[in-house]
C-alpha cells in the first residue's frame, strides 16, 4: 500500500503541474500579452478553463493531504522551514482564485474588471514562482533543522539562487503548457499564430532558466547533473523529452491540437520523472540528512487506510472528471 | 491614540497568541463560506426542480441568480479551505506531526468529496441548456450532497481533537494507531449533526433576510417573495431542530470534556442540584457569577437527566488545565440566546403559514426576518468559539497542549496582520459583489415577473 500512496503523491504532483500549470500559464500568457490583444486571450482562456479550474486545483489539496496524513514528518519540517514561501504561495492562491471568480461573476462590468485582471495576472505569476521555489528548496540541501539563527533557519532555506531559478523554470513551463493548450482553442489563424509565438517565448524562457538552474546547482554543489544524467532512466527521459520537443516544433503550425497537447504533457512528465527518479525515496534533502518516503512516514495502518481512501476515491472521481473535460471540450462555453 | 493602541497590541502579541488568532481568523472566515457552499445547492435544487416541473420563469431566474452568487462564495470557500490545509502545518507543525496520521482519515476521504463537488459544480454552473435538464439538476444536487459530506468529515476531524480516540498515548509516544476508530470517536456524531443543522439555519436565515429586505423595499416582489419562501422553510425547520441537537451536544460535552461544560456554564463549584446559569458576569477570582439568572437543578437535569445529579465544576480541574471561563461562557450564552430567538421566529413563520396568511403582506412581519439576517452566522461563530476556546489549553484534549504545538518560527504576528488585511478586504469585496448582484436582479431577470 505504501507504494500505492507514493504513486498517488507523484501523480497528484504531476497532474497539478500539468492542469494547475496550464491554468496558471493562462494568466502568465495574459501578463505577457500586449494590451490590445488581452481581451481576446482572456476570452479564449476563460472558455478553456472556466468549467475545470476548481477541479484543477484539487490536485494540490490531494498532494498536501497525502503528505500530512502519510508523511507527517516531511509535512511539518517543510511547514516550519519554508513557512514564508508557503505563506506567499497561499496569498497568491487566494488572490488568483478570487480574482478569477470575481471577474467572471461580477454582475456589473466596469472599471473593477481592470483591478481583477491585474490581480489575476500578477498572482498567476507569483504563485507558480513560489511553488517552484518551494520544490527547489526541498532538494537544495539548504534546510537546516539544527540552527537557531533566524536567517539560516527561515530565510536562506529558500531564498537562494538555485531555488529562485527553479521558480522561474516552473513559471516558464506553466506558460509553455498553457500556450500549447490554447493553440487548440484558437478560433482563427491569427490567434493560433499568436499562441505559437507565446509558446516559443515560453520555451526560450524555459531553456534559459533551465540553464540557470544547472549553473546555480553547480555553484552550490548540488549534484543536479548527476541526478539527471547519472543514471539510465534519467538519460532516457531527457532524450525522449528532447525528441518529443523537436517533433512538437515540427508540427506546431498544422498539427492537431490533441497531439500537441499530448507531446507537451509527455515532456513535463519526463522532466518530473528525471528530477524525482534518482533521489527517490529521499524527497527532502536537508543540510544534514534526508527525509525519506520510506521511513519518515505514518503507521502501517494509516498508510493502509490512506491508500484505500485514494483508491476508492479514484473510482468515483476519474470517470466524472473525464466526462467533465470531454463534455466541455468541443462546445463553446458561454459566459454563465 | 489609535496608533499607540495598535502598537501596544503588536508588542503584546507573542507568537503563540498570534498563531491562535490567525487560526481562529481563518477558520471563522472559512466557516461562513463553507456553510453557504453546503446549503445553497439545496435551495437551488428546490428552485430548479420547480422550474423544470412548472416552467414558471421565476424559478429559473431564482436558480440562476443564486448560482451566480454562489459561484463567488464557492471560489472564496475553496481558496480559504486550501489555505487552511496548509495553515494546520504552518502554525501547528508539532500537532500535525503526531495528529496527522491519526485524524487524517476524514481528510483523505474529504479529498474525494471536494473533488466530486468541484466537478459537479463545473457541470452545474456551465451546463445550462447543454445537458438533459434532469441530469443538470442532478449535478446541482450532487454539489450539495458532497458539500454536506465534506462538512461532516472535517467536523469529525475536529471532534477527534475534543475526544481523542484510536491510539494509545504511552510515554509521549502515539502507539497502536487506528484511523477508523479515531474518525468515529465519541463526539463526531453530535458535532456533525449540530454543525449540519446550524449550516441550514444560518444560511437559511441569511438568504431569507436579504430577500425579505428586497420585498420590504418593493423591488421585484414576486421574485424575492418566491426566493424568501424557499429559504425560510429550510431555515425554520433547522432552527426548530437546533436546540434539540444542542441538548444532545451538551450532554456529550458533559461526559467527554467536563472542564469545557463547566466553563460554558460558568459552573465553578462541583455540586448536586446544580443550577443552570443564564447570562451574568463570571468572576474567576472570587469564583462567582454576578447578575445571573439561576435555575436550580436545571443543569443537573439537562446534562444527566436527573435533578440531583452531581455536575463537576471548575474546582475539580487543576488551574493550569482550565479553559478561559468568561469567553466560553459569553459565547455559549450568545449561541443559545440566538438559537432560542431563531426557534421562536421559526414558529412565528409556521403560525403565519398555517393560520395567519395575511401576515405575509405585513411589513413588520418581513422586517423581523430582515433583522434576523446575520443572527445564524453569529451563532455559528459563537458556537465554534465555545468548542475551540473551551478546549483550551489543550489542542488534543488531555494529550497535547496548544502551547507545545505552535511553530518555532518567530514573527507570526506579521503573518496574522497580513492575513487579517487580506480576509478583511476579501469580505468587503464579496459583500460589494453581492450588493451588485442584487441590484442587477431587475435588469437581468425581469422577464414576465
Ligand atoms: C445556527 C447556529 C447555532 C445555534 C442556533 C445553536 N448552535 Fe450550538 N453550536 C453551533 C451552532 C449553533 C456550531 C457553530 O455549529 C457548533 C460549534 C461546534 C459544533 O459542532 O457546532 C456549536 C456547538 C455547540 C456545543 C459544543 C459542542 C462541542 O464542543 O462539541 C453545544 C453544547 C451547543 N452547541 C449547544 C447548543 C444549544 C443548547 C443551543 C440551543 C439553542 C444551540 N447550541 C444553538
Ligand atoms: C470552521 C469552524 C471553526 C472555527 C470558527 C474555529 C475557531 C477556532 C478558534 C476561535 C480557535 C482559537 C482558540 C484559542 O486560541 O483559544 C481555534 C483553534 C484551532 N482550531 Fe478551530 N475552529 C473551527 C473548526 C476547526 C476544525 C474543523 C479544525 C480541525 C480539523 C480546527 C482546528 C483548530 C486548531 C488546530 C486550532 C489551534 C489550536 C488550538 O487553539 O487549540 N478547528 N479554532
Ligand atoms: C467546521 C469546519 C469546516 C466545515 C464545515 C467545512 C466545510 C467545507 C465545505 C462544505 C467546503 C466546500 C464548499 C465551498 O467550497 O465553499 C469546504 C471547502 C474546503 N475546506 Fe472546509 N470546512 C471546515 C473547515 C476546514 C478545515 C479545518 C480545513 C483544512 C484543514 C478545510 C479545508 C477545506 C478545503 C481545502 C476546501 C476547498 C475544497 C473545494 O475546492 O471545494 N476546511 N469546506
Amino acid at each position: 500500500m505504501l507504494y500505492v500512496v507514493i504513486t498517488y503523491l507523484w501523480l497528484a504532483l504531476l497532474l497539478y503541474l500539468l492542469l494547475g500549470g496550464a491554468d496558471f500559464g493562462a494568466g502568465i500568457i495574459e501578463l505577457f500579452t500586449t494590451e490590445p490583444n488581452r481581451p481576446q486571450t482572456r476570452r479564449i482562456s476563460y472558455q478553456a478553463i472556466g468549467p475545470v479550474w476548481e477541479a484543477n486545483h484539487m490536485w494540490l489539496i490531494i498532494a498536501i493531504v497525502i503528505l500530512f496524513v502519510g508523511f507527517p514528518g516531511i509535512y511539518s519540517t517543510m511547514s516550519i522551514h519554508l513557512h514564508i514561501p508557503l505563506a506567499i504561495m497561499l496569498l497568491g492562491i487566494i488572490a488568483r482564485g478570487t480574482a478569477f471568480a470575481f471577474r467572471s461573476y461580477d454582475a456589473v462590468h466596469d472599471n473593477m474588471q481592470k483591478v481583477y485582471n491585474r490581480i489575476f495576472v500578477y498572482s498567476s505569476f507569483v504563485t507558480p514562482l513560489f511553488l517552484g521555489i518551494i520544490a527547489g528548496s526541498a532538494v537544495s540541501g539548504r534546510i537546516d533543522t539544527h540552527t537557531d539563527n533566524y536567517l539560516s533557519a527561515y530565510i536562506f532555506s529558500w531564498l537562494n539562487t538555485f531555488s529562485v531559478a527553479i521558480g522561474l523554470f516552473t513559471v516558464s513551463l506553466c506558460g509553455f503548457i498553457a500556450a500549447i493548450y490554447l493553440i487548440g482553442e484558437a478560433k482563427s489563424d491569427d490567434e493560433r499564430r499568436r499562441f505559437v509565438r507565446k509558446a516559443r517565448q515560453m520555451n526560450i524562457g524555459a531553456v534559459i532558466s533551465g540553464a540557470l538552474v544547472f549553473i546555480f546547482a553547480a555553484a552550490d554543489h548540488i549534484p543536479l547533473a548527476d541526478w539527471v544524467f547519472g543514471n539510465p532512466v534519467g538519460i532516457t527521459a531527457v532524450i525522449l523529452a528532447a525528441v518529443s520537443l523537436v517533433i512538437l516544433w515540427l508540427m506546431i503550425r498544422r498539427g492537431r491540437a490533441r497531439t500537441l497537447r499530448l507531446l507537451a504533457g509527455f515532456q513535463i512528465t519526463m522532466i518530473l520523472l528525471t528530477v524525482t527518479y534518482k533521489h527517490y525515496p529521499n524527497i527532502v534533502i536537508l543540510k544534514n540528512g534526508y527525509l525519506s518516503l520510506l521511513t519518515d512516514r505514518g503507521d502501517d495502518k494509516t498508510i493502509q487506510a490512506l491508500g484505500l481512501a485514494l483508491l476508492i476515491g479514484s473510482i468515483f472521481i476519474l470517470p466524472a472528471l473525464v466526462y467533465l473535460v470531454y463534455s466541455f471540450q468541443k462546445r463553446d462555453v458561454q459566459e454563465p | 491614540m489609535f496608533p499607540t493602541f495598535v502598537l501596544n497590541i503588536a508588542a503584546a502579541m507573542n507568537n503563540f497568541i498570534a498563531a491562535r488568532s490567525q487560526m481562529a481568523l481563518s477558520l471563522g472566515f472559512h466557516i461562513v463560506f463553507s456553510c453557504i457552499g453546503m446549503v445553497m445547492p439545496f435551495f437551488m435544487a428546490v428552485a430548479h426542480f420547480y422550474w423544470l416541473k412548472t416552467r414558471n420563469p421565476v424559478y429559473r431566474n431564482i436558480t440562476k441568480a443564486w448560482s451566480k452568487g454562489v459561484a463567488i462564495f464557492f471560489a472564496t470557500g475553496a481558496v480559504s479551505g486550501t489555505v487552511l490545509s496548509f495553515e494546520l502545518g504552518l502554525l501547528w507543525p508539532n500537532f500535525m506531526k503526531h495528529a496527522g496520521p491519526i485524524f487524517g482519515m476524514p481528510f483523505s476521504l474529504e479529498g474525494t468529496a471536494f473533488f466530486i463537488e468541484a466537478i459537479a459544480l463545473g457541470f452545474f454552473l456551465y451546463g445550462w441548456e447543454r445537458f438533459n435538464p434532469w441530469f443538470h439538476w442532478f449535478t446541482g444536487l450532487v454539489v450539495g450532497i458532497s458539500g454536506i459530506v465534506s462538512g461532516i468529515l472535517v467536523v469529525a476531524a475536529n471532534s477527534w481533537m475534543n475526544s481523542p480516540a484510536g491510539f494509545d498515548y504511552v510515554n509521549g509516544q502515539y502507539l497502536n494507531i487506528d484511523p477508523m476508530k479515531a474518525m468515529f470517536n465519541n463526539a463526531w456524531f453530535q458535532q456533525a449533526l449540530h454543525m449540519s443543522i446550524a449550516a441550514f439555519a444560518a444560511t437559511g436565515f441569511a438568504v431569507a433576510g436579504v430577500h425579505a429586505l428586497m420585498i420590504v423595499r418593493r423591488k421585484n416582489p414576486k421574485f424575492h417573495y418566491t426566493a424568501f419562501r424557499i429559504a425560510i422553510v429550510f431555515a425554520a425547520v433547522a432552527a426548530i431542530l437546533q436546540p434539540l441537537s444542542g441538548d444532545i451536544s451538551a450532554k456529550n460535552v458533559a461526559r467527554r470534556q467536563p472542564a469545557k461544560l463547566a466553563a460554558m456554564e460558568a459552573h465553578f463549584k462541583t455540586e448536586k442540584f446544580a443550577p443552570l446559569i443564564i447570562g451574568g458576569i463570571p468572576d474567576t477570582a472570587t469564583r462567582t457569577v454576578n447578575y445571573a439568572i439561576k435555575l436550580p437543578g436545571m443543569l443537573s437535569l439537562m446534562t444527566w437527566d436527573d435533578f440531583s445529579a452531581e455536575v463537576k465544576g471548575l474546582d475539580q480541574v487543576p488551574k493550569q488545565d482550565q479553559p478561559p471561563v468568561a469567553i466560553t461562557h459569553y459565547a455559549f450564552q450568545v449561541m443559545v440566546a440566538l438559537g432560542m430567538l431563531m426557534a421562536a421566529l421559526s414558529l412565528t413563520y409556521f403560525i403565519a403559514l398555517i393560520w395567519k396568511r395575511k401576515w405575509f403582506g405585513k411589513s413588520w412581519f418581513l422586517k423581523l426576518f430582515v433583522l434576523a439576517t446575520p443572527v445564524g452566522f453569529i451563532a455559528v461563530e459563537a458556537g465554534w468559539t465555545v468548542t475551540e476556546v473551551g478546549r483550551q489549553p489543550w489542542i488534543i484534549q488531555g494529550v497535547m497542549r496548544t502551547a507545545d504545538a505552535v511553530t518555532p518560527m518567530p514573527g507570526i504576528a506579521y503573518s496574522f496582520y497580513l492575513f487579517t488585511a487580506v480576509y478583511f478586504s476579501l469580505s468587503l469585496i464579496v459583500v460589494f459583489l453581492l450588493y451588485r448582484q442584487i441590484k442587477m436582479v431587475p435588469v437581468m431577470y425581469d422577464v414576465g415577473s
Side-chain angles (χ1 to χ4, degrees), chain B residues 344-361:
Chain B
L345 258 181
S346 307
L347 289 175
T348 317
Y349 175 76
F350 283 121
I351 291 173
L353 191 66
I354 300 171
W355 293 292
K356 302 273 184 193
R357 281 284 178 158
K358 60 175 191 293
W359 287 359
F360 283 105

Side-chain angles (χ1 to χ4, degrees), chain B residues 59-101:
Chain B
Y59 288 112
R60 184 200 52 208
N61 292 343
I62 291 176
T63 316
K64 284 205 174 183
W66 273 346
S67 71
K68 286 196 175 182
V70 163
I72 292 172
F73 282 90
F74 259 106
T76 317
V79 294
S80 58
T82 309
V83 170
L84 276 173
S85 24
F86 283 89
E87 262 177 347
L88 284 177
L90 290 178
L91 301 174
W92 316 103
N94 201 34
F95 164 64
M96 288 309 284
K97 190 168 170 179
H98 298 295

Side-chain angles (χ1 to χ4, degrees), chain B residues 16-17 19-21 23-32 34 84 88 92 95-96 103 107 154-159 161 195 324 380-381 384-385 388-396 402 405:
Chain B
F16 176 47
I17 302 292
R20 285 164 68 176
S21 312
M23 194 73 206
L25 170 80
S26 316
L27 286 157
F29 184 83
H30 179 69
I31 191 68
V32 174
S34 51
L84 276 173
L88 284 177
W92 316 103
F95 164 64
M96 288 309 284
F103 85 155
F107 287 110
V154 216
V155 172
N158 176 266
S159 65
M161 296 162 60
M195 176 72 239
V380 166
E381 302 285 353
W384 277 104
T385 310
E388 303 289 312
V389 177
R391 188 183 58 241
Q392 302 307 315
W394 304 102
I395 190 167
I396 309 173
T402 313

Side-chain angles (χ1 to χ4, degrees), chain B residues 191 194 198 242 246 250 253 256 260 264 335 339 376 379-380 383-384 387:
Chain B
Q191 271 195 251
H194 197 59
Q242 191 73 349
V253 174
R256 69 176 136 93
K260 183 192 271 183
M264 276 156 50
M335 169 173 64
V380 166
W384 277 104
T387 305

Side-chain angles (χ1 to χ4, degrees), chain A residues 58 75 102 105-106 110 302 332, chain B residues 85 89 101 114 130 436-437:
Chain A
M58 293 314 299
Y75 174 77
F102 294 168
Y105 291 101
D106 193 342
D110 58 8
T302 304
D332 272 350
Chain B
S85 24
F114 281 155
R130 264 162 189 270
R436 300 232 274 202
Q437 299 255 347

Side-chain angles (χ1 to χ4, degrees), chain B residues 256-286:
Chain B
R256 69 176 136 93
Q257 293 172 297
K260 183 192 271 183
L261 186 87
M264 276 156 50
E265 295 291 341
H267 181 58
F268 288 104
K269 263 201 339 268
T270 304
E271 59 189 344
K272 295 188 173 173
F273 297 101
L276 186 69
I277 299 178
I278 299 177
I281 301 175
D283 183 341
T284 10
T286 60

